[in-house]
Amino acid sequence: MCENKNFNKVLLMNVQSFVDSMEMTSLIKEELLAKLIKYEYCRENNLNSFDYNTKDLKDNEFNSHLVGFIDGDGYIKTGKRVGHKKGYYRIVPHITIELSNKNERYLNLIIKKIFLENKKVHNRIDRSIAVIDIRSKEELNKIMGIIDGNNGFISEKKSKDYIKFKELLNYLDITKEELHGEAWVNKGMEIWSENIILEDRETREKGLNYINKNLTINYLLGFIEAKGLLKLQKQNANKYINSFELKSTDNDLILDGILEFIKNYKDPLYIVKDIDLGDQKVSLKRSKKNVWSSLLIDNEDILYYKIIPMLLSTNMYTKMELNLVNFILGVVICKYLKDIPECKKLYIKIKDSITNNELLNLNEVLLVLNKYLKK
C-alpha cells in the first residue's frame, strides 16, 4: 500500500496502538483498523473513496445498501415531455442516482456490480455532478429486481412513487404508440397523480412495524450515506460539539424507525456498552415552504458506544467512509483528550480537513493521539 516499507511498519504500529486503546469489541476493532488503513491508502493515492473490488463484495449486502441509498437520495421520474401533436406527450420512466463527482467511484462500482457493461456515468453542471440514468427496459428490470428482492423501499413517499412507477411501466407496455422508437401516449400520467394508500402503513403503529420488520443494517448504511451528516464543530474556545444527523425531506416515519433501530442495536458482537438513548426524539422542522424531519444525536457516549460501532459494522462506499475516520478521531479527542492543548489544535485540524475535502497524514495524527492515550 505504501512505497516506503519502513513508513508502512510505523503506520501499522501506530494504527494498531490506537485501535488497541479503544473501548470497543474485538470485531469492531478489526473494522476500525481496516477503515484506518483504507483512509491512508486513499490519501496516498489521492482517492475520494476506497477502490473496492467487486469480487470482494457480497451481493446481498451491496444490493441492500444500494436500495437504501436510492430510498434516501435516488429519483424516480416519469420523463414526461410535450408530444408531437396536441394531446400527446412522451413518457420515458427512469430511475436516476446523482452525486457530487467526489463520489463518482461509487457510481462506477454500481455499474460494475449491477450493469457490468454498456453503461457509463455522465457528468453535468461543469462536471461537478456525476449521474447514472437507468431507463432502458433491461436496466430497469435489473434495478427493479434488486429493489423488489429487498422488499421495496422503506420510506413511505418512495414506496408510493415506486408502486406508481411500476404501474406506469406496465401501462406503457400495453398501450404505447411508437414514433421514432419512443413511446408517445395521450393517457397515463393520471397513474402518477393517483393518491395511494399503503394498507400496511395506514396507521403510525403499522408504519413503524413495517420499518422495524424490513430495516437491515446494510439498508440503513445506504440510507445514511445518502442522507446522513457527520459533524465536528467548535462552539467556543472550550466547547466542541460532534453530531450525527439524518434528515428526511418529508414528514415520514422512516427516521422514527431508524431511531428505534439504534435504540435496539445491542448485539454484544458490536456493542461493548449499551447506552440508553433516553428521551431522544425525531424533531419536525418547518419553513415557509417545506416540512422535514431531523434525527440529531450529539451525546458523546451515544456517539462513541452506539453510532460509531454501527457505522463500522459493514461496508460504506462513498466519501463518507473517509469522513467517518475523521469523525471517530474527533469524537475520541472529545471523549478522552479534550483538555490537552495539542489535541485541541489537532481537533480543529481534523474538522477543517472535512470542510476542505482533505485527508490528513494518519501517521502524524496517531503519533499525537497515541502519546496521550497510553497515559
Side-chain angles (χ1 to χ4, degrees), residues 15-168:
V15 167
Q16 190 65 63
S17 179
F18 176 78
V19 171
D20 288 343
S21 67
M22 294 296 99
E23 190 180 358
M24 297 175 174
T25 68
S26 58
L27 183 59
I28 292 302
K29 284 184 177 182
E30 289 178 11
E31 296 298 331
L32 174 58
L33 189 147
K35 286 282 193 292
L36 292 168
I37 297 300
K38 288 177 184 177
Y39 180 98
E40 186 63 18
Y41 173 84
C42 290
R43 185 190 72 83
E44 291 186 343
N45 292 277
N46 197 29
L47 301 176
N48 287 308
S49 58
F50 186 69
D51 190 12
Y52 282 95
N53 187 328
T54 56
K55 294 180 181 179
D56 297 331
L57 304 177
K58 296 179 180 179
D59 289 348
N60 61 329
E61 293 179 358
F62 185 82
N63 291 348
S64 179
H65 180 284
L66 176 58
V67 177
F69 192 92
I70 296 174
D71 198 344
D73 209 24
Y75 299 90
I76 298 177
K77 300 182 178 181
T78 64
K80 178 185 175 183
R81 297 290 186 274
V82 176
H84 61 289
K85 63 182 180 180
K86 186 175 181 180
Y88 277 70
Y89 43 82
R90 185 188 75 160
I91 300 179
V92 185
H94 55 286
I95 295 174
T96 299
I97 307 171
E98 58 181 56
L99 295 166
S100 159
N101 62 357
K102 294 181 178 61
N103 287 311
E104 186 172 338
R105 192 173 300 278
Y106 176 49
L107 298 185
N108 281 310
L109 186 63
I110 294 171
I111 290 173
K112 291 178 184 178
K113 188 71 176 169
I114 307 300
F115 301 108
L116 300 180
E117 56 185 21
N118 300 324
K119 188 73 185 165
K120 293 182 179 180
V121 174
H122 299 284
N123 297 99
R124 66 174 186 231
I125 312 179
D126 297 328
R127 299 187 64 81
S128 64
I129 302 295
V131 181
I132 292 179
D133 205 15
I134 306 163
R135 62 176 62 207
S136 76
K137 182 178 290 187
E138 181 181 2
E139 291 172 354
L140 285 171
N141 284 339
K142 283 185 178 180
I143 201 71
M144 290 167 66
I146 290 171
I147 295 169
D148 294 337
N150 284 273
N151 298 319
F153 295 111
I154 290 179
S155 70
E156 187 171 357
K157 183 180 186 305
K158 195 63 65 69
S159 296
K160 289 180 178 180
D161 285 351
Y162 185 58
I163 290 171
K164 293 185 286 186
F165 184 80
K166 291 198 288 187
E167 290 179 356
L168 187 58

Side-chain angles (χ1 to χ4, degrees), residues 171-271:
Y171 173 84
L172 292 179
D173 280 341
I174 295 172
T175 65
K176 66 182 179 183
E177 179 180 332
E178 292 292 338
L179 180 69
H180 304 306
E182 296 178 337
W184 297 86
V185 296
N186 58 1
K187 292 183 179 179
M189 285 304 294
E190 63 269 21
I191 294 172
W192 200 252
S193 61
E194 183 181 352
N195 183 24
I196 290 179
I197 302 297
L198 300 176
E199 293 183 2
D200 54 2
R201 288 181 256 184
E202 59 188 359
T203 65
R204 178 180 175 84
E205 182 180 7
K206 283 187 175 183
L208 287 174
N209 285 340
Y210 181 89
I211 295 171
N212 292 333
K213 179 181 177 182
N214 291 283
L215 187 59
T216 66
I217 187 62
N218 289 289
Y219 194 109
L220 175 56
L221 265 289
F223 190 87
I224 288 172
E225 288 205 72
K227 306 292 285 185
L229 293 171
L230 301 172
K231 294 181 181 178
L232 303 179
Q233 295 174 290
K234 179 184 177 182
Q235 192 170 52
N236 56 49
N238 298 308
K239 188 172 182 180
Y240 305 106
I241 297 178
N242 310 311
S243 63
F244 164 77
E245 184 176 16
L246 281 174
K247 293 181 180 180
S248 176
T249 52
D250 303 285
N251 184 15
D252 199 297
L253 284 177
I254 188 166
L255 296 191
D256 295 271
I258 289 173
L259 178 57
E260 286 300 310
F261 184 97
I262 295 171
K263 287 180 177 179
N264 295 320
Y265 193 71
K266 303 177 180 181
D267 191 330
L269 285 174
Y270 306 104
I271 301 297

